[in-house]
Amino acid sequence: MTEQSSVQQDENRLIAERRAKLDAIRRERNAFPNDFRREHYAADLQRDYAGHSREQLEQLGNRASVAGRIMRMRGPFLVIADVSGQIQLYVNRETLSAATLAEIKTWDIGDIVGASGVLHRSGKGDLYVNMDSARLLTKSLRPLPDKYHGLADLELRYRQRYVDLIMNEDTRRLFRTRSVVLDALRDYLTDRDFLEVETPAMQVIPGGATARPFVTYHNALDLEMYLRIAPELYLKRLVVGGFERVFEVARNFRNEGLSTRHNPEFTMIEFYMAYADYRDAMDITEGMLREAARRGTGGTLVDYQGEQYDLGQPFARMSVFDSILHFNPTLGADDIASRERARSVAEHLGIEVKPSYGLGKIQIEIFEKTVEQRLRQPTFITGYPTEVSPLARRNDDDPFITDRFELFIGGRELANGFSELNDPEDQAARFREQVAMKEGGDNEAMHFDTDYITALEYGMPPTAGVGIGVDRLVMLLTDSASIRDVLLFPHMRPLL
């Protein structure tokens, strides 16, 4: 018999024993009561009575009513955990009825119980509830992992996040931090008169980004639809309609690969503001991330995978063109200023250059190969070529580039923003270029969105917009190596 099969047999035996206990309870009473009302949280009691001695607690005789999951059994003491923390319960034979004492003997680690009694402190200094009443609220049929080893299998932690959350305080802390970061991002925008809105997650035309969409079907409309890859075009329709500052915390879906940085379903926060340009958007983005770091970590120095990033200092800013020259000192400006010379540089770097690539696309390929991973401290990269920026406004002085930026920290893109293209004729022409690319086999190219062009024809004020990857930001602020670590339920192949 293998060690794994032996462990499985032991677990099956424990489950059978617990089911037998549950069956016995069902024969006597409601096995899953819902009339116990907790009055106190463990952490509040630990805080409020931290300065009280054993003698002071005995004099006070204050009562507490608590509920939680049994995590440990130490002789006559049970340690329970609620959402806030842990507290001990004392099984006192003098204050509990014979029936309750008999029931407690059937309890197991993992059971959820409610208890009331007077607060005391043990000889070791631990606060506890001296139970005079106690009830089983939920019988746990499956044993928890060993308390010393926890849930060590990383894949199992992702698949059974509920067990991971029960066993690991670090996991619970991480997802609390995620919530704090989201609140910080929201608050930063609402404090500046942005309106939070909701736009469709199912769309007739997937737009707002270049990505391969998920396809679904609407039975009532008899219509093929797509899960959104970005909320951008709907948010800009709202700017046309007069909501001059809007944002959305959006679940997006892109039918692409899985990696430590990518999940097909992910969260972004996108915001748009009228009468602003990409420089204003960079200022807002920098302030948002600085505030998220302060609230999420307590400061602006962020440690991530052995490196430290300073979000308290002004973020660096440089163009795509200048960054290529900066990180490739053997290159001169002429080497990447024409398609033929840039193609030669790219091929020397081992980059495949397709016939459809123009100079702008080749420059981006060189940038991604030689620059992106070297942008460690917070850096805004600006001046993206128009060829790779179908929704961004052309630069007034150099139409080859757009007023667009991306933010990199630790070699990873965290945000993408630009001065929005509000010329309907220019936008229509770029959509047609995207359609030609799609017809040429590019599955990530955009569709032509006629209704969006109609919206622009009513007139959109000068506008700037930004999308920030929430998952990657949380990875950074929680020192998480994989995007799966910051998703409660990451996508995984089902077990057969």
Side-chain angles (χ1 to χ4, degrees):
M1 180 184 297
T2 65
E3 181 179 352
Q4 183 176 1
S5 63
S6 177
V7 170
Q8 185 63 52
Q9 283 191 3
D10 288 343
E11 182 172 322
N12 290 341
R13 176 181 55 80
L14 291 172
I15 292 173
E17 291 175 356
R18 293 185 179 208
R19 287 189 184 279
K21 292 178 181 179
L22 178 60
D23 289 341
I25 296 170
R26 289 185 192 276
R27 288 193 294 269
E28 296 180 4
R29 60 174 174 82
N30 181 2
F32 294 91
N34 191 15
D35 57 353
F36 181 88
R37 295 297 175 262
R38 171 176 55 194
E39 297 178 8
H40 304 91
Y41 287 100
D44 293 341
L45 294 173
Q46 299 284 8
R47 182 196 64 232
D48 294 345
Y49 293 97
H52 290 70
S53 67
R54 185 176 183 180
E55 293 73 22
Q56 287 173 321
L57 285 173
E58 289 178 354
Q59 290 177 358
L60 286 172
N62 287 353
R63 294 182 59 79
S65 179
V66 296
R69 187 184 298 275
I70 300 174
M71 300 302 295
R72 293 186 297 281
M73 293 179 168
R74 299 171 173 173
F77 287 97
L78 310 177
V79 179
I80 66 167
D82 64 20
V83 69
S84 69
Q86 296 187 349
I87 194 166
Q88 294 191 50
L89 308 178
Y90 179 60
V91 182
N92 191 331
R93 295 181 177 277
E94 297 181 0
T95 59
L96 291 167
S97 69
T100 301
L101 289 169
E103 180 180 298
I104 290 174
K105 288 182 180 180
T106 70
W107 290 358
D108 295 296
I109 291 176
D111 289 352
I112 297 172
V113 302
S116 300
V118 177
L119 289 169
H120 284 272
R121 194 172 298 282
S122 70
K124 294 182 179 180
D126 295 322
L127 186 69
Y128 67 87
V129 177
N130 185 28
M131 293 189 290
D132 53 35
S133 67
R135 298 174 62 192
L136 177 68
L137 304 178
T138 303
K139 185 67 186 174
S140 174
L141 297 179
R142 291 183 176 271
L144 296 179
D146 181 271
K147 67 178 181 179
Y148 294 108
H149 299 97
L151 195 60
D153 186 321
L154 191 59
E155 182 172 321
L156 193 58
R157 288 174 58 189
Y158 297 148
R159 291 186 182 278
Q160 296 185 348
R161 183 67 83 185
Y162 39 89
V163 182
D164 185 26
L165 291 167
I166 290 172
M167 299 302 299
N168 295 320
E169 171 58 28
D170 287 345
T171 303
R172 296 192 294 273
R173 185 183 303 112
L174 186 154
F175 287 103
R176 290 191 194 100
T177 299
R178 182 185 176 108
S179 182
V180 169
V181 168
L182 268 171
D183 283 346
L185 297 174
R186 277 190 165 103
D187 292 347
Y188 194 89
L189 292 174
T190 56
D191 288 347
R192 287 157 181 78
D193 297 324
F194 283 81
L195 175 70
E196 183 171 6
V197 297
E198 296 170 290
T199 63
M202 289 196 305
Q203 303 176 354
V204 176
I205 296 174
T210 53
R212 187 173 184 175
F214 286 94
V215 182
T216 186
Y217 195 82
H218 197 302
N219 289 331
L221 295 178
D222 189 22
L223 183 67
E224 185 175 81
M225 300 187 77
Y226 303 88
L227 298 184
R228 72 174 165 208
I229 56 177
E232 177 172 341
L233 299 187
Y234 281 95
L235 291 173
K236 289 193 284 193
R237 285 174 169 93
L238 296 179
V239 177
V240 171
F243 285 140
E244 295 178 352
R245 292 191 167 206
V246 294
F247 77 94
E248 181 172 11
V249 178
R251 297 292 283 180
N252 295 336
F253 307 86
R254 298 181 184 178
N255 200 354
E256 299 169 345
L258 289 163
S259 73
T260 57
R261 301 187 188 187
H262 298 91
N263 195 68
E265 179 181 1
F266 61 98
T267 303
M268 291 187 69
I269 185 167
E270 290 204 15
F271 67 89
Y272 293 84
M273 52 181 177
Y275 310 107
D277 67 11
Y278 76 105
R279 288 177 288 259
D280 302 306
M282 283 194 286
D283 292 340
I284 291 280
T285 302
E286 183 170 337
M288 284 178 70
L289 266 61
R290 189 169 291 132
E291 180 63 17
R294 287 196 186 104
R295 287 176 56 176
T297 71
T300 55
L301 289 176
V302 176
D303 294 313
Y304 184 76
Q305 302 296 295
E307 295 186 52
Q308 188 175 79
Y309 309 125
D310 189 353
L311 274 63
Q313 295 296 316
F315 294 3
R317 303 184 182 191
M318 68 174 73
S319 69
V320 170
F321 193 90
D322 291 342
S323 70
I324 292 173
L325 299 181
H326 177 79
F327 287 100
N328 295 274
T330 61
L331 296 179
D334 291 342
D335 292 319
I336 56 172
S338 69
R339 186 186 186 281
E340 285 308 307
R341 296 190 65 170
R343 180 179 61 81
S344 177
V345 170
E347 290 176 345
H348 180 72
L349 291 169
I351 299 170
E352 179 187 359
V353 178
K354 297 180 180 179
S356 60
Y357 287 5
L359 173 59
K361 175 63 172 175
I362 297 173
Q363 287 179 350
I364 290 300
E365 292 289 328
I366 296 171
F367 167 82
E368 291 177 350
K369 178 83 171 185
T370 66
V371 177
E372 190 170 303
Q373 280 295 317
R374 299 162 77 177
L375 299 171
R376 311 311 297 177
Q377 292 299 320
T379 304
F380 287 114
I381 297 296
T382 63
Y384 276 75
T386 302
E387 181 183 353
V388 296
S389 309
L391 297 172
R393 185 179 188 276
R394 295 179 193 269
N395 182 268
D396 289 339
D397 298 321
D398 182 2
F400 176 78
I401 61 172
T402 59
D403 291 339
R404 175 187 171 192
F405 70 85
E406 288 187 346
L407 172 64
F408 294 87
I409 303 177
R412 299 183 179 187
E413 177 206 340
L414 264 73
N416 178 32
F418 37 82
S419 299
E420 301 297 335
L421 176 58
N422 60 344
D423 179 341
E425 295 178 352
D426 189 353
Q427 183 64 80
R430 297 203 213 174
F431 275 157
R432 284 191 287 271
E433 292 173 2
Q434 289 288 309
V435 170
M437 293 170 62
K438 181 172 286 293
E439 291 174 348
D442 187 346
N443 291 325
E444 296 186 352
M446 293 182 181
H447 294 67
F448 193 102
D449 192 333
T450 302
D451 182 73
Y452 179 65
I453 297 299
T454 300
L456 290 184
E457 288 174 345
Y458 278 95
M460 183 171 77
T463 299
V466 178
I468 299 172
V470 172
D471 305 318
R472 288 187 182 180
L473 176 59
V474 175
M475 286 173 64
L476 175 69
L477 298 181
T478 58
D479 194 12
S480 299
S482 171
I483 194 171
R484 291 181 174 181
D485 295 331
V486 302
L487 302 176
L488 281 168
F489 301 102
H491 292 292
M492 303 185 73
R493 190 183 300 279
L495 294 174
L496 299 178

